[in-house]
Amino acid sequence: MNVPPAVAETLTLFSENTSCDALGELQIAGCGVTELAQRFGTPLYIFDELALRHRCHAFRAALDRHYPGEAAVAYAGKAYLNVALAQLFATEGLWLDAVSGGEMYVAQTAGFPPERVTFHGNNKTEAELRQALCWGVGRIAVDNFDELCLLSQMASQPLSLWLRLAPGVDAHTHAYIRTGLVDSKFGLTIPTGDAERALRFAAEDPHLRVAGIHAHIGSQILDSAPFAATIETLLAFAAEMRDRYGFRLQELSPGGGLGVRYTPQDPLLPIETFVQRVAETVAATCEKVGLPLPRLVLEPGRAIVGPTAVALYTVGARKEIPGVRSYVAVDGGMADNIRPALYQARYAVVAATKLHELHDRQITIAGRFCESGDILIRDAWLPPLEPGDLLALPTAGAYCLAMASNYNQVPRPAVVMVRDGQAQLIQRRETYDDLVQRDLPLNTTV
């Protein structure tokens, strides 16, 4: 059915398998949101399986078209990872970036091939490094000298390493997710000489083999220029290390960080355009500095899962302050999506069972948690809302569930995967019993 223009514009942020039925209800991959809410409860996170697979394929196909050498796509697990997603990415031929023992454990539980895993992190524990070595991960991305020395002591056979470098590139994104600057907790800095010293140290150890160099300059980046600058810096460093020490670059990863649209006003950097710019920059720079083409590894996280999931909430209490603001509270908020409070992230929203109605009232969507800052969307345009109505936020697949908490002792939401009119629960809703599973009673015996 026809929907108002503003609603139609917002619907472009949902996956391509999303539609509006004759009654004005949101349908995701053939599943109506009312039935999903009744069956699984809310808050509910809904992943579109075919959209997920399509975005995996889009990255791989673009690399095949534009990069003449070997290439791989590694999903950045920190965006959100569970067993079902890890299994899906494995079947799509992706690699995986893990940043903790927990992410490795999820991947291992899913049967993910360890040789396609890279272990990242700026402060990996000795236990986590042993876990990675025992599992047989394909490579470890070394972030600092302490880690390099620890690996030198632990290694009993050759280890394949990447060196994470801080290239001094400003990604022009939010300060909290800007990671490529010289003044950053991440990486071995090139300008200070730390990167060169680390490479020389590894070259002198018979068990440490630097196969590649890596950088990650930030997240939610919607301009390809910082990626190109990063690649040029990394390859210039590789060429200099070749000339000084005979270093042979086998793998190059300019990281992830490609952004997505959260609102209709956000710019779009298509996967194809991004991959083409990256691939062409690598090829041209390698030719310029006389390096053979390395295996190019891209590490998208948000750009794969972000646009493929919807957060579904139920409207509860309302508060009208005449001449000031209209509040509507939902049954989720900052415990399942802290991004608006943490990053001032902006989202779009639709009334999921009233798509045919004019979204012409300015309403602030508040969460249920005991913080004044628990505001999901300030001044959203929506129709009149009643308790029990459903609200749907698109582009909810990345960093919402990954950063979810049990603030106020509220159980974390359920997650479903939908396809061809069928819904599968891939992560159950937490229960109150789950909240006390780790607790032990106080021993009052004196």
Side-chain angles (χ1 to χ4, degrees), residues 383-405:
L385 296 175
E386 304 291 333
D389 283 342
L390 297 174
L391 299 182
L393 275 65
T395 324
Y399 297 103
C400 300
L401 294 166
M403 295 194 287
S405 73

Side-chain angles (χ1 to χ4, degrees), residues 318-329 361-366 372 374-381:
R318 297 168 296 173
K319 179 179 180 179
E320 189 76 32
I321 309 175
V324 179
R325 189 175 302 279
S326 296
Y327 287 96
V328 165
R361 298 196 178 189
Q362 216 169 31
I363 298 172
T364 290
I365 309 302
S372 296
D374 181 23
I375 302 294
L376 283 173
I377 307 176
R378 196 173 297 276
D379 299 329
W381 291 99

Side-chain angles (χ1 to χ4, degrees), residues 127-170:
E128 287 176 323
L129 289 171
R130 291 196 185 281
Q131 178 185 353
L133 296 180
C134 290
W135 187 31
V137 300
R139 51 203 53 76
I140 295 174
V142 173
D143 204 277
N144 52 69
F145 270 103
D146 291 321
E147 182 182 334
L148 200 57
C149 293
L150 186 56
L151 285 171
S152 177
Q153 297 166 17
M154 295 170 64
S156 58
Q157 57 187 13
L159 298 179
S160 184
L161 308 179
W162 284 355
L163 296 183
R164 175 167 180 169
L165 309 184
V169 173
D170 191 343

Side-chain angles (χ1 to χ4, degrees), residues 78-236:
K78 63 181 177 288
Y80 175 56
L81 189 68
N82 68 14
V83 169
L85 288 185
Q87 291 172 330
L88 184 148
F89 296 137
T91 63
E92 288 295 324
L94 267 59
W95 290 15
L96 177 70
D97 292 348
V99 296
S100 70
E103 287 188 1
M104 285 191 289
Y105 186 78
V106 170
Q108 190 171 8
T109 302
F112 201 95
E115 66 275 10
R116 284 165 30 197
V117 174
T118 303
F119 184 30
H120 290 263
N122 72 298
N123 189 27
K124 307 174 187 72
T125 67
E126 183 175 349
E128 287 176 323
L129 289 171
R130 291 196 185 281
Q131 178 185 353
L133 296 180
C134 290
W135 187 31
V137 300
R139 51 203 53 76
I140 295 174
V142 173
D143 204 277
N144 52 69
F145 270 103
D146 291 321
E147 182 182 334
L148 200 57
C149 293
L150 186 56
L151 285 171
S152 177
Q153 297 166 17
M154 295 170 64
S156 58
Q157 57 187 13
L159 298 179
S160 184
L161 308 179
W162 284 355
L163 296 183
R164 175 167 180 169
L165 309 184
V169 173
D170 191 343
H172 303 294
T173 187
H174 193 284
Y176 288 4
I177 49 178
R178 192 182 302 152
T179 59
L181 299 174
V182 170
D183 184 7
S184 169
K185 75 174 187 177
F186 296 103
L188 297 148
T189 53
I190 295 175
T192 63
D194 282 350
E196 180 177 350
R197 285 190 288 274
L199 189 142
R200 192 168 66 241
F201 177 93
E204 294 171 353
D205 190 301
H207 293 134
L208 303 182
R209 184 178 68 89
V210 178
I213 54 177
H214 160 75
H216 181 71
I217 57 173
S219 193
Q220 186 54 13
I221 305 168
L222 293 165
D223 178 7
S224 60
F227 294 103
T230 297
I231 290 164
E232 291 167 352
T233 300
L234 294 180
L235 290 174

